[in-house]
Short mmCIF file of all heavy atoms in Angstrom, two decimals:
data_model
loop_
_atom_site.label_atom_id
_atom_site.label_comp_id
_atom_site.label_asym_id
_atom_site.label_seq_id
_atom_site.Cartn_x
_atom_site.Cartn_y
_atom_site.Cartn_z
N MET A 574 -14.32 0.48 1.44
CA MET A 574 -14.07 -0.43 2.53
C MET A 574 -15.23 -1.16 2.88
O MET A 574 -16.39 -0.60 3.06
CB MET A 574 -13.49 0.46 3.74
CG MET A 574 -13.23 -0.47 5.00
SD MET A 574 -12.69 0.54 6.35
CE MET A 574 -11.31 1.37 5.81
N GLN A 575 -15.24 -2.48 2.99
CA GLN A 575 -16.40 -3.30 3.46
C GLN A 575 -16.06 -3.96 4.76
O GLN A 575 -15.24 -4.81 4.86
CB GLN A 575 -16.88 -4.28 2.36
CG GLN A 575 -17.52 -3.58 1.15
CD GLN A 575 -17.56 -4.45 -0.05
OE1 GLN A 575 -16.52 -4.70 -0.69
NE2 GLN A 575 -18.67 -5.17 -0.21
N LEU A 576 -16.84 -3.55 5.81
CA LEU A 576 -16.55 -4.09 7.15
C LEU A 576 -17.74 -5.19 7.47
O LEU A 576 -18.89 -4.77 7.46
CB LEU A 576 -16.50 -2.99 8.12
CG LEU A 576 -15.41 -1.90 8.01
CD1 LEU A 576 -15.56 -0.76 8.85
CD2 LEU A 576 -14.06 -2.63 8.21
N TYR A 577 -17.37 -6.33 7.72
CA TYR A 577 -18.35 -7.46 7.86
C TYR A 577 -18.47 -7.75 9.40
O TYR A 577 -17.70 -7.32 10.25
CB TYR A 577 -17.94 -8.66 7.16
CG TYR A 577 -17.62 -8.48 5.71
CD1 TYR A 577 -16.54 -9.15 5.09
CD2 TYR A 577 -18.44 -7.81 4.93
CE1 TYR A 577 -16.35 -8.99 3.80
CE2 TYR A 577 -18.22 -7.68 3.62
CZ TYR A 577 -17.18 -8.28 2.96
OH TYR A 577 -16.86 -8.14 1.74
N LEU A 578 -19.53 -8.46 9.75
CA LEU A 578 -19.67 -8.93 11.08
C LEU A 578 -18.98 -10.26 11.20
O LEU A 578 -18.93 -11.08 10.37
CB LEU A 578 -21.23 -9.09 11.33
CG LEU A 578 -22.03 -7.80 11.42
CD1 LEU A 578 -23.54 -8.19 11.64
CD2 LEU A 578 -21.46 -6.93 12.45
N TYR A 579 -18.45 -10.48 12.46
CA TYR A 579 -17.85 -11.87 12.77
C TYR A 579 -19.02 -12.63 13.49
O TYR A 579 -19.45 -12.31 14.59
CB TYR A 579 -16.70 -11.56 13.70
CG TYR A 579 -15.48 -11.18 12.85
CD1 TYR A 579 -15.35 -9.98 12.34
CD2 TYR A 579 -14.42 -12.07 12.72
CE1 TYR A 579 -14.31 -9.59 11.63
CE2 TYR A 579 -13.42 -11.69 11.92
CZ TYR A 579 -13.21 -10.50 11.41
OH TYR A 579 -12.17 -10.18 10.59
N VAL A 580 -19.45 -13.70 12.75
CA VAL A 580 -20.62 -14.39 13.18
C VAL A 580 -20.47 -15.57 14.03
O VAL A 580 -21.46 -16.20 14.42
CB VAL A 580 -21.38 -14.78 11.84
CG1 VAL A 580 -21.76 -13.53 11.01
CG2 VAL A 580 -20.62 -15.88 11.15
N LYS A 581 -19.24 -15.91 14.38
CA LYS A 581 -19.05 -17.09 15.20
C LYS A 581 -19.19 -16.69 16.62
O LYS A 581 -18.79 -17.63 17.60
CB LYS A 581 -17.69 -17.82 14.90
CG LYS A 581 -17.84 -18.39 13.52
CD LYS A 581 -16.48 -19.22 13.14
CE LYS A 581 -16.55 -19.59 11.71
NZ LYS A 581 -15.18 -20.19 11.30
N PHE A 582 -19.60 -15.50 16.89
CA PHE A 582 -19.86 -15.05 18.37
C PHE A 582 -21.38 -15.02 18.48
O PHE A 582 -22.13 -14.78 17.63
CB PHE A 582 -19.19 -13.71 18.58
CG PHE A 582 -17.65 -13.68 18.47
CD1 PHE A 582 -17.13 -13.48 17.19
CD2 PHE A 582 -16.86 -13.90 19.49
CE1 PHE A 582 -15.74 -13.34 16.94
CE2 PHE A 582 -15.48 -13.82 19.37
CZ PHE A 582 -14.98 -13.58 18.05
N SER A 583 -21.72 -14.94 19.81
CA SER A 583 -23.04 -14.60 20.12
C SER A 583 -23.09 -13.77 21.35
O SER A 583 -22.55 -14.13 22.38
CB SER A 583 -23.89 -15.92 20.45
OG SER A 583 -25.22 -15.57 20.80
N PRO A 584 -23.58 -12.42 21.14
CA PRO A 584 -23.97 -11.87 19.94
C PRO A 584 -22.73 -11.77 18.97
O PRO A 584 -21.57 -11.77 19.44
CB PRO A 584 -24.42 -10.54 20.33
CG PRO A 584 -23.82 -10.23 21.66
CD PRO A 584 -23.50 -11.50 22.35
N ARG A 585 -23.05 -11.50 17.69
CA ARG A 585 -22.10 -11.32 16.67
C ARG A 585 -21.20 -10.14 16.98
O ARG A 585 -21.62 -9.21 17.84
CB ARG A 585 -22.74 -11.03 15.29
CG ARG A 585 -23.62 -12.29 14.92
CD ARG A 585 -24.31 -11.97 13.65
NE ARG A 585 -25.27 -11.01 13.71
CZ ARG A 585 -26.04 -10.60 12.63
NH1 ARG A 585 -25.77 -11.18 11.46
NH2 ARG A 585 -26.93 -9.65 12.71
N ARG A 586 -19.99 -10.04 16.44
CA ARG A 586 -19.09 -8.82 16.70
C ARG A 586 -18.89 -8.06 15.42
O ARG A 586 -18.83 -8.68 14.35
CB ARG A 586 -17.76 -9.38 17.29
CG ARG A 586 -18.00 -9.97 18.66
CD ARG A 586 -16.68 -10.10 19.42
NE ARG A 586 -16.89 -10.86 20.75
CZ ARG A 586 -16.03 -11.17 21.51
NH1 ARG A 586 -14.61 -10.86 21.18
NH2 ARG A 586 -16.23 -11.68 22.57
N ASP A 587 -18.69 -6.74 15.68
CA ASP A 587 -18.68 -5.82 14.53
C ASP A 587 -17.23 -5.38 14.27
O ASP A 587 -16.58 -4.88 15.23
CB ASP A 587 -19.50 -4.59 14.91
CG ASP A 587 -19.75 -3.79 13.69
OD1 ASP A 587 -18.96 -3.79 12.79
OD2 ASP A 587 -20.89 -3.13 13.55
N SER A 588 -16.77 -5.72 13.10
CA SER A 588 -15.32 -5.39 12.77
C SER A 588 -15.18 -3.82 12.81
O SER A 588 -14.08 -3.36 12.90
CB SER A 588 -14.94 -5.95 11.46
OG SER A 588 -15.66 -5.53 10.40
N ALA A 589 -16.19 -3.00 12.73
CA ALA A 589 -16.06 -1.62 12.63
C ALA A 589 -15.60 -1.13 14.05
O ALA A 589 -15.25 0.02 14.26
CB ALA A 589 -17.41 -0.92 12.32
N LEU A 590 -15.68 -2.01 15.19
CA LEU A 590 -15.36 -1.50 16.51
C LEU A 590 -13.92 -2.04 16.74
O LEU A 590 -13.40 -1.93 17.88
CB LEU A 590 -16.26 -2.14 17.53
CG LEU A 590 -17.69 -1.51 17.46
CD1 LEU A 590 -18.59 -2.29 18.45
CD2 LEU A 590 -17.88 -0.14 17.43
N GLN A 591 -13.27 -2.71 15.78
CA GLN A 591 -11.82 -3.18 15.93
C GLN A 591 -10.92 -2.16 15.18
O GLN A 591 -10.79 -2.30 14.01
CB GLN A 591 -11.68 -4.58 15.28
CG GLN A 591 -10.36 -5.19 15.40
CD GLN A 591 -10.10 -6.00 16.64
OE1 GLN A 591 -10.71 -6.88 16.99
NE2 GLN A 591 -9.04 -5.42 17.42
N ASN A 592 -10.51 -1.20 15.85
CA ASN A 592 -9.89 0.05 15.32
C ASN A 592 -8.63 -0.49 14.44
O ASN A 592 -8.32 0.02 13.35
CB ASN A 592 -9.33 1.02 16.24
CG ASN A 592 -10.52 1.88 16.73
OD1 ASN A 592 -11.76 1.48 16.46
ND2 ASN A 592 -10.28 2.82 17.54
N ASP A 593 -7.87 -1.44 15.00
CA ASP A 593 -6.70 -1.85 14.31
C ASP A 593 -6.99 -2.50 13.03
O ASP A 593 -6.23 -2.41 11.90
CB ASP A 593 -5.72 -2.78 15.11
CG ASP A 593 -6.44 -4.02 15.77
OD1 ASP A 593 -7.77 -3.95 15.88
OD2 ASP A 593 -5.74 -4.79 16.31
N LEU A 594 -8.19 -3.21 12.89
CA LEU A 594 -8.51 -3.79 11.71
C LEU A 594 -8.92 -2.66 10.61
O LEU A 594 -8.70 -2.75 9.35
CB LEU A 594 -9.64 -4.72 12.02
CG LEU A 594 -10.03 -5.78 10.92
CD1 LEU A 594 -10.66 -6.93 11.60
CD2 LEU A 594 -11.14 -5.23 9.91
N VAL A 595 -9.74 -1.67 11.05
CA VAL A 595 -10.04 -0.56 10.16
C VAL A 595 -8.79 0.19 9.66
O VAL A 595 -8.64 0.51 8.43
CB VAL A 595 -11.03 0.40 10.91
CG1 VAL A 595 -11.35 1.57 10.07
CG2 VAL A 595 -12.24 -0.31 11.41
N ILE A 596 -7.75 0.32 10.61
CA ILE A 596 -6.59 0.97 10.13
C ILE A 596 -5.87 0.21 9.14
O ILE A 596 -5.32 0.67 8.11
CB ILE A 596 -5.61 1.13 11.37
CG1 ILE A 596 -6.22 2.22 12.43
CG2 ILE A 596 -4.18 1.66 10.83
CD1 ILE A 596 -6.07 3.57 11.95
N HIS A 597 -5.87 -1.20 9.43
CA HIS A 597 -5.08 -2.08 8.35
C HIS A 597 -5.88 -1.92 7.03
O HIS A 597 -5.07 -1.80 6.02
CB HIS A 597 -5.44 -3.57 8.92
CG HIS A 597 -4.98 -4.64 7.98
ND1 HIS A 597 -3.91 -5.37 8.23
CD2 HIS A 597 -5.51 -5.06 6.74
CE1 HIS A 597 -3.72 -6.25 7.15
NE2 HIS A 597 -4.77 -6.01 6.32
N GLU A 598 -7.07 -1.75 6.91
CA GLU A 598 -7.72 -1.72 5.61
C GLU A 598 -7.44 -0.32 4.95
O GLU A 598 -7.32 -0.21 3.85
CB GLU A 598 -9.29 -1.85 5.78
CG GLU A 598 -9.80 -3.29 6.37
CD GLU A 598 -9.18 -4.39 5.59
OE1 GLU A 598 -8.91 -4.35 4.35
OE2 GLU A 598 -9.01 -5.50 6.25
N CYS A 599 -7.54 0.71 5.87
CA CYS A 599 -7.12 2.03 5.33
C CYS A 599 -5.65 1.97 4.68
O CYS A 599 -5.42 2.58 3.59
CB CYS A 599 -7.07 3.06 6.44
SG CYS A 599 -8.69 3.55 7.04
N GLN A 600 -4.74 1.33 5.39
CA GLN A 600 -3.41 1.22 4.90
C GLN A 600 -3.29 0.64 3.67
O GLN A 600 -2.47 0.99 2.79
CB GLN A 600 -2.43 0.56 5.94
CG GLN A 600 -1.00 0.56 5.57
CD GLN A 600 -0.44 1.97 5.19
OE1 GLN A 600 -0.69 3.00 5.97
NE2 GLN A 600 0.23 2.15 4.11
N HIS A 601 -4.20 -0.34 3.39
CA HIS A 601 -4.13 -0.92 1.93
C HIS A 601 -4.40 0.05 0.90
O HIS A 601 -3.84 0.14 -0.08
CB HIS A 601 -5.26 -2.05 1.78
CG HIS A 601 -4.90 -3.41 2.35
ND1 HIS A 601 -3.76 -4.07 1.80
CD2 HIS A 601 -5.34 -4.25 3.23
CE1 HIS A 601 -3.67 -5.30 2.35
NE2 HIS A 601 -4.56 -5.41 3.30
N GLY A 602 -5.34 0.98 1.22
CA GLY A 602 -5.59 2.02 0.30
C GLY A 602 -4.36 2.96 0.03
O GLY A 602 -4.07 3.32 -0.96
N ALA A 603 -3.78 3.33 1.18
CA ALA A 603 -2.59 4.18 1.24
C ALA A 603 -1.42 3.56 0.37
O ALA A 603 -0.75 4.17 -0.49
CB ALA A 603 -2.14 4.59 2.53
N SER A 604 -1.19 2.36 0.67
CA SER A 604 0.04 1.67 -0.01
C SER A 604 -0.36 1.59 -1.44
O SER A 604 0.57 1.84 -2.33
CB SER A 604 0.09 0.19 0.52
OG SER A 604 0.43 0.25 1.97
N ASN A 605 -1.50 1.17 -1.82
CA ASN A 605 -1.90 0.99 -3.20
C ASN A 605 -1.87 2.27 -4.03
O ASN A 605 -1.60 2.30 -5.17
CB ASN A 605 -3.25 0.42 -3.30
CG ASN A 605 -3.18 -1.13 -3.43
OD1 ASN A 605 -2.44 -1.69 -4.27
ND2 ASN A 605 -3.91 -1.85 -2.52
N ARG A 606 -2.06 3.34 -3.37
CA ARG A 606 -2.11 4.66 -3.98
C ARG A 606 -0.66 5.22 -4.20
O ARG A 606 -0.20 5.70 -5.32
CB ARG A 606 -3.00 5.65 -3.29
CG ARG A 606 -4.40 5.42 -3.55
CD ARG A 606 -4.85 5.77 -5.02
NE ARG A 606 -6.27 5.58 -5.29
CZ ARG A 606 -7.27 6.43 -5.02
NH1 ARG A 606 -6.95 7.51 -4.32
NH2 ARG A 606 -8.50 6.16 -5.30
N MET A 607 0.19 5.03 -3.07
CA MET A 607 1.47 5.75 -3.19
C MET A 607 2.45 4.95 -3.96
O MET A 607 3.14 5.49 -4.64
CB MET A 607 1.82 5.92 -1.79
CG MET A 607 1.24 7.21 -1.15
SD MET A 607 2.02 7.74 0.44
CE MET A 607 1.13 6.65 1.48
N THR A 608 2.43 3.60 -3.79
CA THR A 608 3.48 2.74 -4.55
C THR A 608 3.01 2.74 -6.05
O THR A 608 1.85 2.20 -6.30
CB THR A 608 3.72 1.44 -3.98
OG1 THR A 608 4.21 1.67 -2.64
CG2 THR A 608 4.51 0.64 -4.75
#
Side-chain angles (χ1 to χ4, degrees):
M574 183 182 298
Q575 288 166 279
L576 299 170
Y577 304 139
L578 294 176
Y579 280 72
V580 302
K581 291 181 185 172
F582 298 88
S583 184
R585 300 179 292 179
R586 293 198 185 172
D587 195 330
S588 59
L590 301 180
Q591 178 88 61
N592 286 3
D593 50 345
L594 198 149
V595 179
I596 295 279
H597 172 108
E598 301 308 331
C599 288
Q600 183 54 47
H601 275 302
S604 300
N605 268 306
R606 284 293 180 78
M607 279 189 275
T608 297

